[in-house]
DNA sequence: CCGGTTTAGCAAACCGGTTTAGCGGAGATT
DNA sequence: AATCTCCGCTAAACCGGTTTGCTAAACCGG
């Protein structure tokens, strides 16, 4: 005030970054109460038509939009569903399986007007990430049932649907017939005369996990399916012929190369993911093997790209998009209290026979000879 | 009260679903003020150590966790960044390009402790979706500059970084050297002797858009690159040899088939996306053409899968993940007010020559004859 | 003209936290 | 002993909306 001028608070405000207009600003400008402004937006029928439209005019002229966070607080709903993954999003998004899965999730969510919020371990902690997540419900994918966060989420009273984890009673879940699909895949190779099988599983995200192989997890179920078919035909699956790899093309290549150079000479490979199968395909070819003449490869998932590989991949089809859709629909049914009873959805799988599987080579030498 | 008993309000509450404990509950139970509880969580150093730990004990025994929405409201930050796409998420997630892009986005976001919130047109309206989005900033990808939402977001004071849209002054953007990449691709084919070129562009998401081809958009820039190289060699690109297709394998197949059956006999195809290029590859083979002997195909993007196609795809590499990372880093630098000056980041492209391109066939008949 | 019902709009409470200003008491300083 | 400082904690204001309860005026039929 040294210049003899007095500053009104309004002027001072103008000097700074223009504050986001609040409901009170609109109310003052329009000469009504905050309530009226709120009504103008949410229940215009409680206002005289001309009042409502006048308020709205003032609102747009001020550039006012109700603050979404404040609105969430009072309405107790966020119109957002959380997608929880035990791995970093960066590795999730690189996986075509999740691409398809999220497609289904997005489809069902958008249809009901919900947005998607991805929750992944922040600085290593899923719990910390959950604390920041403003969601009406959560779809957790690939989270093992024993994971500590599960209980935390349930305790927080947030509706939860688990996808592809071991079965949990009184907990909505969505999964597929992993065992049946795997059995069909193994049966297929066995029917073609294969007896030397290599199984490539999916490496669990946390190497440090105590129970490396939960018998009830996805991998456990698939392994059980493979084994069941083999056992029925008297074929033995030795531990050495079961390896794991990251669920990627590279992972599959590395795994096959390692198995091959360790002396294994399978004529049939059962991969628990298409990405791995594609990697096996490539690695096998690099070894000079012909597919399917020298070696057969069967995948799992039936990704879009699997019909375009060379040769097209024989694989176990699972309805990935539908899985995502089902999970969200199930979730929303409990979020919106339409159906408080936890449901368990199990989707079908089926073997899709394409070009990467064929009759086993007559004699093992035939294969061995090829190797250089 | 007909039974002569009086109900305390507490008992009534107990009858219903157990309310989520609030900060006041913890305060009462621990015999302290709300402030103390808040301090126990956020600035424990302002409390006597034993008080803080006692409060925390009470909190866990009650299962209390601060309500994230309430916390957002006071702290004025959501620790979430929004990803805005002009198309439905269901179509976005099916596109491997976005998979890779989101990988980069997720990487940079998670590194700074931010979660991801996807904003897509809700019931057709991006504006409506934005109104519900609780984010500290937005990365908009593929949004044309003229899109009305852009102004709305800026007016709302939400920091915004635009990726792959036409350049906007005083607006942070991230894009790539589309023109240079395209020029290199076309030059490559021309150097190989190709003169009959087919260009397949990416169909814009909104067929109804007035300016189908913004000269400054991604497609406009790439087309300009193709044209520049052709023009320099005196090769003419007639409108008929420029077609568009959805950015998918299927889209590429359909587009090529249609072009072929309409009588076009290109010896070289310039596709503006790898997905399209892969589709072209397949469709060409379906027509009995050999790649690259009869026809060469050059893509754009260099997706992971492009090195695994048959033959491996010659394509223009762009650093997709880096693009996502850069966008988020740029965004966070303004969100966290480290750098208020809008920056424009332009990333390099480079031609990657693989197996899908080769010398043009000697005579055009040579190609025509192949056709059945 | 009167009692009863609608209508239009307001003040205050509330959602569930954080933050500011300040207060009483203990220990240190003069 | 009086004053100062620091510590540990609290009351109240605040973030920006929605919702409840209520009132004054307008409307209505009799």
């Amino acid at each position: 005030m040294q210049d003899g001028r007095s500053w009104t608070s309004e002027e001072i405000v103008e000097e700074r970054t223009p504050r986001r207009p609040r409901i009170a600003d609109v109310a003052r400008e329009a000469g009504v109460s905050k309530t009226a402004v709120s009504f103008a937006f949410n229940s215009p029928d409680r206002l005289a038509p001309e009042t409502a439209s006048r308020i709205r005019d003032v609102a747009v002229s001020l550039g006012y939009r109700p603050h979404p966070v404040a609105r969430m607080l009072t309405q107790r709903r966020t119109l957002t569903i959380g997608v929880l993954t035990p791995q970093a999003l960066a590795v999730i998004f690189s996986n075509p399986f999740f691409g398809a899965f999220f497609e289904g999730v997005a489809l069902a969510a958008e249809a009901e007007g919900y947005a998607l919020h991805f929750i992944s371990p922040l600085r290593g902690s899923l719990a910390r990430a959950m604390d920041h997540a403003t969601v009406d419900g959560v779809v957790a994918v690939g989270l093992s049932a024993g994971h500590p966060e599960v209980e935390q989420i349930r305790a927080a009273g947030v509706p939860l649907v688990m996808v592809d984890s071991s079965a949990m009673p009184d907990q909505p879940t969505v999964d597929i017939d992993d065992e049946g699909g795997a059995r069909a895949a193994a049966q297929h190779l066995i029917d073609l005369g294969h007896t030397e099988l290599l199984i490539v599983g999916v490496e669990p995200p946390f190497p440090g996990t105590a129970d490396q192989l939960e018998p009830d997890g996805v991998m456990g179920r698939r392994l059980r399916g493979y084994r069941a078919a083999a056992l029925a035909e008297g074929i033995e699956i030795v531990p050495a012929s079961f390896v794991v790899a990251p669920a990627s093309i590279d992972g599959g290549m590395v795994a096959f190369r390692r198995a091959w150079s360790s002396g294994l000479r399978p004529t049939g490979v059962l991969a628990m993911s298409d990405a791995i199968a594609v990697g096996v395909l490539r690695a096998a070819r690099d070894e000079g093997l012909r597919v399917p003449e020298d070696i057969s490869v069967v995948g799992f998932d039936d990704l879009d790209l699997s019909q375009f590989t060379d040769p097209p991949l024989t694989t176990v089809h699972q309805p990935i998009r539908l899985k995502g859709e089902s999970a969200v629909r199930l979730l929303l049914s409990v979020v919106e209290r339409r159906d408080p009873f936890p449901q368990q959805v199990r989707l079908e799988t089926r073997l899709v026979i394409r070009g990467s599987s064929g009759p086993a080579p007559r004699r093992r030498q035939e294969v061995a000879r090829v190797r250089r």
Side-chain angles (χ1 to χ4, degrees), chain A:
Chain A
M1 302 206 214
Q2 305 193 348
D3 60 356
R5 248 189 100 198
S6 76
W7 296 76
T8 69
S9 71
E10 199 152 329
E11 277 172 324
I12 291 176
V13 163
E14 259 182 346
E15 292 285 318
R16 290 191 256 132
T17 24
R19 230 197 342 65
R20 174 185 181 127
R22 300 168 304 182
I23 197 171
D25 300 326
V26 180
R28 183 171 2 89
E29 196 76 10
V32 296
S33 69
K34 292 195 307 173
T35 312
V37 179
S38 181
F39 283 163
F41 279 84
N42 305 313
S43 24
D45 43 324
R46 291 193 56 175
L47 253 37
E50 61 274 20
T51 310
S53 78
R54 178 167 50 89
I55 293 177
R56 273 196 297 267
D57 288 349
V58 172
V60 319
S61 84
L62 257 51
Y64 168 78
R65 289 154 6 97
H67 196 299
V69 175
R71 193 189 271 235
M72 277 181 182
L73 186 59
T74 58
Q75 297 192 151
R76 273 88 156 280
R77 43 185 267 165
T78 62
L79 285 181
T80 300
I81 72 180
V83 178
L84 189 144
T85 63
Q87 305 169 58
L89 282 179
V91 349
I92 292 289
F93 281 129
S94 65
N95 187 333
F97 170 87
F98 285 105
F101 178 75
F102 293 150
E103 237 184 277
V105 167
L107 200 65
E110 284 174 338
E112 301 284 341
Y114 281 74
L116 254 39
H117 182 108
F118 283 82
I119 308 170
S120 64
L122 280 184
R123 299 188 206 102
S125 159
L126 250 184
R128 187 211 252 25
M130 266 303 299
D131 283 349
H132 289 291
T134 55
V135 297
D136 293 335
V138 171
V139 170
V141 50
L143 200 63
S144 63
H147 214 286
E149 325 301 354
V150 176
E151 206 34 59
Q152 190 202 326
I153 296 175
R154 301 184 64 178
V158 178
L160 171 66
V161 169
M162 302 190 61
V163 177
D164 281 345
S165 44
S166 33
M168 291 184 70
D170 38 276
Q171 172 65 49
T173 60
V174 174
D175 59 17
I176 60 167
D177 182 14
D178 288 294
E179 188 168 345
R183 201 180 321 114
Q187 188 67 54
H188 170 61
L189 285 189
I190 292 168
D191 288 348
L192 287 168
H194 296 269
T195 55
E196 306 294 315
L197 301 176
L198 173 69
I199 295 177
V200 188
V202 177
E203 197 168 78
F206 307 113
T209 312
D211 44 355
Q212 281 287 27
L213 177 55
E214 299 185 37
D216 256 0
V218 169
M219 198 156 77
R221 294 199 297 260
R222 292 186 189 172
L223 190 56
R224 202 153 57 225
Y226 291 149
R227 280 221 170 95
L231 223 61
E233 308 280 343
I235 295 174
E236 190 187 6
I237 295 188
V238 296
S241 61
F242 172 51
V243 302
V244 296
S248 65
I249 296 181
D250 244 22
M253 290 181 67
V254 171
F256 184 80
R257 257 188 240 128
R258 190 175 308 153
W260 189 264
S261 64
S262 82
L264 288 175
R265 290 296 177 271
T267 67
V269 179
L270 293 162
M272 290 200 194
S273 105
D274 276 7
I276 290 178
V278 170
V280 170
L281 235 44
R282 271 198 84 70
R285 184 170 291 176
D286 290 349
E287 294 288 348
L289 299 169
R290 294 162 304 165
V291 180
E293 291 81 359
D294 298 324
I295 192 167
S296 290
V297 179
V298 181
F300 206 117
D301 284 348
D302 194 17
L303 300 179
D304 291 342
L305 62 88
S306 301
Q307 50 184 313
F308 298 120
T309 58
D310 182 38
L313 191 65
T314 294
T315 189
V316 177
H317 175 87
Q318 64 159 313
I320 307 180
R321 286 172 190 75
L322 182 59
K323 206 189 226 179
E325 277 187 62
S326 306
V328 170
R329 274 207 279 268
L330 195 52
L331 180 65
L332 290 184
S333 84
V334 358
V335 165
E336 302 188 339
R337 289 185 213 230
R338 287 192 299 252
D339 179 11
F341 302 109
Q343 285 189 28
Q344 323 251 125
V345 175
R346 165 150 296 176
L347 303 172
E348 291 305 307
T349 55
R350 68 166 198 279
L351 183 67
V352 178
I353 300 176
R354 298 206 183 92
S356 68
S357 58
R362 282 281 177 63
R363 299 179 300 154
R364 296 185 53 191
Q365 284 84 333
E366 210 174 314
V367 177
R369 216 180 36 218
V370 174
R371 187 196 172 207
R372 226 171 11 96

